[in-house]
Amino acid sequence: QVQLVESGGGLVQAGGSLRLSCVASGSIFSIRVMAWYRQAPGKQRELVASVTSYGVTNYSDSVKGRFTASRDNARNTGYLQMNSLKPEDTAVYYCNAQIFARGSTLSDYWGQGTQVTVSS
């Protein structure tokens, strides 16, 4: 059983910073991609950032230059450093990972979500 647990969300003023963490646990062989999505009220879930096992990153235009995705492969942990936060960044942030579990094929896993609220 593979599980993703996120932490680090909260309330912050515009211009502030937060760091989200996502820890993958269970019978994991390898993690191919770790990604962060967000969903604001009344909107569809959108991809914010992703990072491969080699450290190659990709960002949505709305967060480029402000957010940084990274990971610690030894700890099966991903991070999303969010700087210069704006009220429009307010959303529930979800961690997603493409994981080879031991004895299984590549599968998609999701965290439970963590609320990020940016006040103006």
Side-chain angles (χ1 to χ4, degrees), residues 37-40 43-47 92 94-95 110-111:
Y37 288 74
R38 68 185 180 188
Q39 187 166 20
K43 295 189 176 181
Q44 288 192 330
R45 190 173 296 190
E46 62 171 348
L47 176 63
V92 177
Y94 296 91
C95 175
W110 290 89

Side-chain angles (χ1 to χ4, degrees), residues 62-84:
S62 62
V63 307
K64 205 171 289 184
R66 300 187 298 122
F67 290 12
T68 302
S70 62
R71 56 191 283 179
D72 182 338
N73 291 329
R75 298 176 187 267
N76 288 335
T77 300
Y79 304 97
L80 184 67
Q81 178 66 44
M82 305 185 294
N83 298 330
S84 302

